[in-house]
């Protein structure tokens, strides 16, 4: 099967004209790839978590690239023309925003804050505004507003299910692609791309890895989250 590309955590294969396979690898990386490890089982966990959440979003009327599963670590998805922008929605302040702005760790955003970043590891994913995105032919202002609305809609669905599972959704990152003039949610939805804490503040997401916790702790946590999601979805 023709390999179309490979990123830090996924491989992309051509299935037919309209579909590609997204194979989730067992690699885990942080700091724009500066830190990297193999975590056996992680590919399956993230593929399963993504599949559950994409199906849930579809049921709530959000169009995603998800079509089905080829095997336990491989999603069949619509072939999109991906836009190299990371759309981050924040409910609770942590990570890059508290370093960049005079905002304290744990401050709650109501309404949530949406930010755009260029997908460019060599430049450490710089923040973008509407002008940058128009000039770089990423999103027009109209599209950027549409993407913000989609991120808010995704948040309403994810926040609720994460709460039902017993956790708090701090923030998440989305990526969109184009198909026949529509903007469709692509990429993945997993603990690599979302920050999830329990009500006492215990970290379940990739921050465990970023902060140097043992790999088994990271895997157990990803596995615990998937189990608890499965009970409520
Ligand atoms: O992760 P970092 O503190 O550098 O960035 P952030 O802007 O605070 O990240 C916000 C959210 O986007 C977190 O849930 C990250 O896991 C996610 N993210 C991602 O999935 N991929 C990136 N390249 C950067 C952030």
């Amino acid at each position: 099967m023709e390999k179309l590309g490979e990123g830090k955590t996924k491989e992309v294969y051509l299935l037919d004209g309209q579909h590609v396979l997204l194979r989730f690898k067992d690699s885990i990386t942080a700091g724009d790839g500066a830190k990297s490890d193999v975590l056996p089982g992680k590919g399956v966990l993230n593929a399963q978590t993504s599949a559950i959440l994409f199906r849930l979003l579809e049921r709530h009327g959000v169009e995603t690239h998800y079509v089905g599963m080829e095997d336990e670590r491989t999603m069949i998805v619509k072939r999109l023309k991906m836009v190299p922008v990371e759309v981050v929605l924040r409910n609770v302040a942590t990570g890059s925003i508290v370093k960049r702005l005079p905002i304290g760790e744990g401050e709650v955003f109501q309404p949530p804050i949406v930010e755009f970043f260029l997908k460019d590891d060599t430049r450490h994913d710089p923040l973008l505004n509407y002008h940058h995105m128009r000039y770089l032919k990423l999103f027009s202002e109209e599209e950027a507003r549409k993407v913000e609305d989609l991120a808010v809609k995704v948040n309403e669905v994810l926040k609720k299910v994460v709460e039902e599972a017993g956790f708090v959704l701090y923030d998440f990152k989305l990526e969109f692609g184009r198909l026949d003039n529509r903007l469709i949610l692509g990429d993945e939805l997993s603990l690599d791309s979302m920050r999830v804490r329990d009500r006492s503040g215990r970290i379940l997401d990739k921050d465990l890895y970023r902060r140097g916790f043992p790999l088994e702790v990271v895997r157990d946590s990803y596995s615990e989250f998937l189990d608890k999601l499965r009970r409520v979805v």
Side-chain angles (χ1 to χ4, degrees):
M1 200 171 275
E2 189 196 345
K3 193 177 194 174
L4 295 177
E6 176 164 2
K8 296 189 290 272
T9 59
K10 295 188 288 300
E11 296 167 336
V12 187
Y13 296 92
L14 184 63
L15 188 57
D16 58 50
Q18 284 83 49
H19 300 95
V20 295
L21 296 180
L22 269 193
R23 184 174 183 278
F24 287 67
K25 302 192 282 186
D26 283 339
S27 49
I28 182 161
T29 75
D32 301 322
K35 180 177 172 178
S36 172
D37 282 281
V38 173
L39 177 51
K42 188 241 189 195
V44 172
L45 290 167
N46 278 6
Q48 296 296 322
T49 301
S50 291
I52 286 179
L53 295 177
F54 281 134
R55 283 188 223 116
L56 179 72
L57 287 169
E58 290 277 350
R59 292 203 292 276
H60 284 83
V62 176
E63 191 177 9
T64 79
H65 65 162
Y66 181 81
V67 173
M69 296 304 283
E70 172 77 2
D71 60 46
E72 60 179 5
R73 67 165 68 233
T74 311
M75 290 195 315
I76 305 165
V77 300
K78 293 172 195 159
R79 189 177 189 182
L80 306 179
K81 182 123 188 44
M82 292 305 293
V83 179
V85 169
E86 301 196 330
V87 181
V88 170
L89 183 142
R90 303 177 185 277
N91 293 308
V92 184
T94 188
S96 69
I97 198 168
V98 303
K99 297 184 193 126
R100 202 170 57 235
L101 295 171
I103 295 173
E105 184 80 31
E107 284 182 35
V108 175
F109 302 123
Q110 247 161 357
I113 287 182
V114 181
E115 298 175 328
F116 299 93
F117 299 90
L118 180 65
K119 254 177 97 79
D120 185 338
D121 281 347
T122 64
R123 294 184 170 81
H124 304 294
D125 297 350
L127 188 70
L128 299 168
N129 67 23
Y130 290 178
H131 296 260
H132 301 134
M133 290 193 284
R134 185 181 58 228
Y135 184 78
L136 295 171
K137 296 187 169 29
L138 297 165
F139 290 126
S140 66
E141 183 166 341
E142 189 187 347
E143 287 176 324
R145 290 190 192 282
K146 177 170 287 176
V147 161
E148 285 172 356
D149 290 345
L150 285 168
V152 167
K153 175 88 201 261
V154 168
N155 186 48
E156 282 161 10
V157 177
L158 293 188
K159 205 175 162 205
K160 184 158 175 278
V161 74
V162 167
E163 264 160 32
E164 284 165 1
F167 304 110
V168 182
L169 180 62
Y170 276 45
D171 59 32
F172 57 84
K173 183 261 310 179
L174 305 176
E175 294 183 28
F176 291 86
R178 296 176 206 282
L179 178 63
D180 307 331
N181 269 326
R182 306 197 305 281
L183 283 167
I184 295 175
L185 181 60
D187 195 49
E188 69 179 291
L189 278 174
S190 71
L191 289 176
D192 277 12
S193 60
M194 293 187 288
R195 285 194 173 101
V196 172
R197 308 281 143 96
D198 79 2
R199 290 184 185 115
S200 72
R202 178 173 65 99
I203 300 169
L204 281 99
D205 54 77
K206 201 170 82 173
D207 277 352
L208 290 171
Y209 177 70
R210 294 186 181 98
R211 295 179 188 201
F213 281 84
L215 289 174
E216 308 78 70
V217 172
V218 180
R219 185 177 37 211
D220 288 351
S221 164
Y222 279 41
S223 173
E224 176 188 345
F225 181 65
L226 176 58
D227 285 344
K228 294 200 169 144
L229 262 189
R230 280 185 170 139
R231 285 183 212 162
V232 296
V233 175

